[in-house]
C-alpha cells in the first residue's frame, strides 16, 4: 500500500501549511523548502504531481491494501532534496533525522522522535529519478505561468506568449588537471590499493607493503614530472635533457607495469582459492571487476606515455581520457577570458522571459550548433506558446537557419 498523505493529522505532527522559514538565510535548503511549501499549498499542482508519482511508483501494486509504506509526499520531498543538493543517501538520512526544518516540512514536530532508516530511504527515494524531476518541473513551470497570467489579466488561461533565450555553460567535475603520467599514477594506485583489500578479504599475505609500493610509483612519477621542467637553450644540453626525460618516463612506465603484471598474477592465483562463502564470492566478484577496470586504464596510459614521450607521436584527442573516476569529463574550451579550458560537461538550457527553465540538455560529446533545432522543437512540444528564441553565435549554422 502506498498512501499519498495520512488522511488526518496524528499526535506528533505539525500543520505544514503554517510553516515559516528564515527569510535571511543564504543557505540553499530553506529556499528549496519554500518552494516545496508553495507546492503543498497549491492543491491543483500538488494533485497533478501526486497523479504523476502514482503512475510511476509501482503502478500495478494496490494503493489501498497491504502494509503502509513511505508516503508519496515524503518520497517527493526527499527526492527533491537529494537531487537539488546532489547528495548521497547517507547525507540525506542525516538531514531527514536531524534537520529541524526538513523534518517540519515532512510533518514532524520537535518532540516526534521517529527516525528513518538508510535502507528504507534507498528503496523509496531511488524511485525519484532525474527524468521524473523533469516532468514535475514542467508542471511547476506551467503553474508559474498561470500565476503570471492571473497577475497580468486577473484570470487563468493558456495564452501567455513566451520568448526564450538559449545558452550553454560548463558544469565542472571534481578532477585534477589531467596528464597522462598522473592518470597512470591514479590507475596504478587504485589497482594496488584494491588488490591489497582483496587479499585481506581472502586472508592472503600479498601486497602487505602496498603503501610503500604506492610511494615507489609516486616517486617515479615525480621524477618524470621534474625532468619535463627543464628550459635549457643550449642545443647540446637540450639533447641531454631529452634523453633524461625519455629515461625517466621509461623508468616510470616500467615501474607501473611491474605492479600491474603482479596484480594480474595475483588475480590468477586467487581464482584457484575456494570461495564457497556466498558473501565473500559476491564481494570478490565486485572488487575483481573494479581492479580489472583500472588495469585497462593503466595499460592505456602506459601505451600513450610510450607513444608520446619515447616514440614522439601526437596522441589524437579522441583517444584521451581526462578522469578515471568521472570518465564523462570532457576538455572544453569556450574562449572565456582568463579561462582557457574547463573540465566537465556542457549543459544547454532554455529560459523564458520570466526566468522559468523550460528545458535542459546535457551535451555529452556535442557542440552548441548540434542541439539548436532539438532544443527549440522539444520545448515547443511542451510549451506551444513559445514564439521566439534567441541564441549566441555559437549555435548558428546554415543548416540551423530556418
Amino acid at each position: 500500500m502506498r498512501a499519498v498523505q495520512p488522511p488526518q493529522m496524528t499526535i506528533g505532527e505539525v500543520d505544514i501549511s503554517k510553516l515559516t522559514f528564515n527569510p535571511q538565510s543564504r543557505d540553499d535548503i530553506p529556499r528549496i523548502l519554500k518552494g516545496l511549501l508553495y507546492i503543498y499549498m497549491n492543491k491543483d499542482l500538488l494533485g497533478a504531481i501526486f497523479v504523476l508519482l502514482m503512475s510511476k511508483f509501482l503502478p500495478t501494486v494496490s494503493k489501498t491494501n497491504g502494509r503502509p509504506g513511505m508516503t508519496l509526499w515524503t518520497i517527493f520531498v526527499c527526492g527533491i532534496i537529494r537531487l537539488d543538493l546532489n547528495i548521497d543517501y547517507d547525507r540525506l538520512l542525516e538531514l531527514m533525522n536531524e534537520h529541524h526544518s526538513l523534518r517540519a516540512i515532512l510533518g514532524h514536530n520537535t518532540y516526534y522522535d521517529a527516525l528513518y532508516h538508510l535502507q528504507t530511504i534507498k528503496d523509496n527515494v531511488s524511485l525519484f529519478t532525474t527524468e521524473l524531476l523533469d516532468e514535475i518541473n514542467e508542471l511547476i513551470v506551467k503553474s508559474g505561468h498561470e500565476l503570471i497570467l492571473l497577475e497580468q489579466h486577473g484570470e487563468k488561461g493558456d495564452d501567455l506568449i513566451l520568448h526564450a533565450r538559449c545558452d550553454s555553460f560548463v558544469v565542472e567535475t571534481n578532477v585534477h588537471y589531467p596528464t597522462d603520467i598522473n592518470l597512470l599514477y591514479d590507475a596504478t594506485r587504485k589497482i594496488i590499493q584494491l588488490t591489497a583489500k582483496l587479499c585481506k578479504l581472502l586472508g592472503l599475505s600479498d601486497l602487505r607493503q602496498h603503501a610503500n609500493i604506492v610511494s615507489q610509483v609516486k616517486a617515479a612519477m615525480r621524477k618524470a614530472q621534474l625532468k619535463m621542467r627543464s628550459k635549457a637553450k643550449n642545443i647540446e644540453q637540450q639533447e641531454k635533457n631529452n634523453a633524461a626525460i625519455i629515461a625517466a618516463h621509461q623508468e616510470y612506465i616500467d615501474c607501473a607495469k611491474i605492479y600491474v603484471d603482479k596484480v594480474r598474477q595475483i588475480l590468477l592465483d586467487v581464482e584457484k582459492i575456494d570461495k564457497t562463502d556466498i558473501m565473500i564470492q559476491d564481494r570478490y566478484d565486485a572488487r575483481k571487476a573494479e581492479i580489472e577496470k583500472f588495469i585497462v586504464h593503466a595499460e592505456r596510459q602506459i601505451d600513450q606515455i610510450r607513444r608520446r614521450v619515447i616514440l614522439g607521436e601526437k596522441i589524437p584527442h579522441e583517444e584521451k581520457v581526462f578522469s578515471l573516476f568521472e570518465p564523462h569529463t570532457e576538455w572544453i574550451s569556450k574562449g572565456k577570458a582568463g579561462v582557457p579550458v574547463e573540465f566537465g560537461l556542457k549543459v544547454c538550457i532554455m529560459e523564458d522571459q520570466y526566468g522559468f527553465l523550460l528545458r535542459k540538455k546535457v551535451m555529452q560529446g556535442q557542440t552548441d550548433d548540434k542541439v539548436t533545432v532539438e532544443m527549440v522543437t522539444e520545448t515547443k512540444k511542451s510549451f506551444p506558446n513559445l514564439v521566439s528564441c534567441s541564441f549566441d553565435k555559437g549555435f548558428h549554422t546554415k543548416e540551423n537557419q530556418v
Side-chain angles (χ1 to χ4, degrees), residues 6 12 38 40 51-52 74 82 89 150 187 202 222 251 255 263 272 303 356:
Y38 165 77
Y40 184 86
V51 169
L52 177 61
T74 302
R82 184 179 75 89
Y89 290 107
L150 190 63
L202 299 175
R222 292 298 189 202
E251 180 182 342
C255 178
V263 167
K272 304 172 185 177
D303 177 64
F356 289 108

Side-chain angles (χ1 to χ4, degrees), residues 310-324:
I310 300 173
L311 301 181
E313 293 183 19
K314 184 176 181 180
I315 308 300
H317 183 79
E318 57 272 13
E319 293 185 25
K320 296 178 181 178
V321 172
F322 303 107
S323 174
L324 307 187

Side-chain angles (χ1 to χ4, degrees), residues 210-267:
H210 63 275
N212 183 49
I213 294 173
V214 172
S215 297
Q216 293 177 28
V217 177
K218 187 173 185 178
M221 178 193 69
R222 292 298 189 202
K223 183 177 179 180
Q225 286 178 326
L226 290 173
K227 293 295 182 183
M228 296 290 291
R229 295 178 181 177
S230 175
K231 297 182 180 179
K233 297 182 179 179
N234 182 281
I235 296 178
E236 183 179 350
Q237 186 62 42
Q238 286 178 358
E239 291 177 352
K240 290 182 180 180
N241 290 341
N242 289 337
I245 289 171
I246 291 175
H249 281 75
Q250 184 65 58
E251 180 182 342
Y252 176 40
I253 62 178
D254 288 344
C255 178
K257 196 171 188 309
I258 287 172
Y259 293 114
V260 170
D261 292 341
K262 181 178 179 63
V263 167
R264 281 192 176 280
Q265 185 58 49
I266 290 174
L267 292 181

Side-chain angles (χ1 to χ4, degrees), residues 313-359:
E313 293 183 19
K314 184 176 181 180
I315 308 300
H317 183 79
E318 57 272 13
E319 293 185 25
K320 296 178 181 178
V321 172
F322 303 107
S323 174
L324 307 187
F325 309 106
E326 298 193 58
H328 51 273
T329 300
E330 297 179 2
W331 177 293
I332 302 171
S333 180
K334 289 179 67 68
K336 295 180 180 178
V339 187
V341 63
E342 296 173 277
F343 298 102
L345 280 176
K346 290 175 70 176
V347 177
C348 187
I349 61 169
M350 182 81 74
E351 184 182 39
D352 66 20
Q353 71 269 37
Y354 303 106
F356 289 108
L357 187 65
L358 305 181
R359 185 170 180 81

Side-chain angles (χ1 to χ4, degrees), residues 78-234:
C78 295
I80 292 291
I81 292 291
R82 184 179 75 89
L83 294 176
D84 281 4
L85 298 181
N86 192 26
I87 58 177
D88 58 21
Y89 290 107
D90 292 299
R91 188 183 172 201
L92 179 61
L93 175 65
E94 179 69 15
L95 291 175
M96 290 179 65
N97 287 335
E98 303 297 337
H99 196 285
H100 173 73
S101 297
L102 178 55
R103 287 182 64 80
I105 202 75
L106 292 172
H108 309 320
N109 68 16
T110 308
Y111 308 103
Y112 187 69
D113 59 355
L115 300 178
Y116 294 91
H117 301 284
L118 182 60
Q119 194 58 50
T120 304
I121 293 175
K122 287 183 177 180
D123 292 342
N124 289 274
V125 182
S126 61
L127 301 172
F128 197 94
T129 62
T130 53
E131 293 77 16
L132 181 56
L133 181 60
D134 288 340
E135 295 184 53
I136 292 174
N137 180 70
E138 185 176 325
L139 294 175
I140 295 173
V141 170
K142 290 180 178 178
S143 175
H145 289 164
E146 290 180 358
L147 282 178
I148 293 171
L149 271 173
L150 190 63
E151 181 181 341
Q152 291 180 349
H153 306 291
E155 60 182 8
K156 292 185 178 181
D158 57 359
D159 57 347
L160 185 66
I161 303 302
L162 299 178
H163 303 277
R165 68 178 186 90
C166 189
D167 201 359
S168 65
F169 61 95
V170 177
V171 177
E172 295 186 347
T173 48
N174 184 23
V175 301
H176 57 66
Y177 191 90
T179 64
D180 48 13
I181 58 176
N182 62 33
L183 289 175
L184 175 57
Y185 170 69
D186 286 341
T188 309
R189 172 175 58 85
K190 291 300 294 183
I191 290 169
I192 295 169
Q193 292 173 344
L194 290 170
T195 306
K197 290 181 180 179
L198 179 63
C199 292
K200 185 177 180 181
L201 172 68
L202 299 175
L204 303 178
S205 60
D206 301 75
L207 295 182
R208 293 190 309 275
Q209 302 295 325
H210 63 275
N212 183 49
I213 294 173
V214 172
S215 297
Q216 293 177 28
V217 177
K218 187 173 185 178
M221 178 193 69
R222 292 298 189 202
K223 183 177 179 180
Q225 286 178 326
L226 290 173
K227 293 295 182 183
M228 296 290 291
R229 295 178 181 177
S230 175
K231 297 182 180 179
K233 297 182 179 179
N234 182 281

Side-chain angles (χ1 to χ4, degrees), residues 9 13-20 37 40-41 104 107-109:
M9 294 176 61
E13 290 191 36
V14 297
D15 187 351
I16 298 175
S17 64
K18 296 181 180 179
L19 292 178
T20 58
L37 182 59
Y40 184 86
M41 298 293 291
H108 309 320
N109 68 16

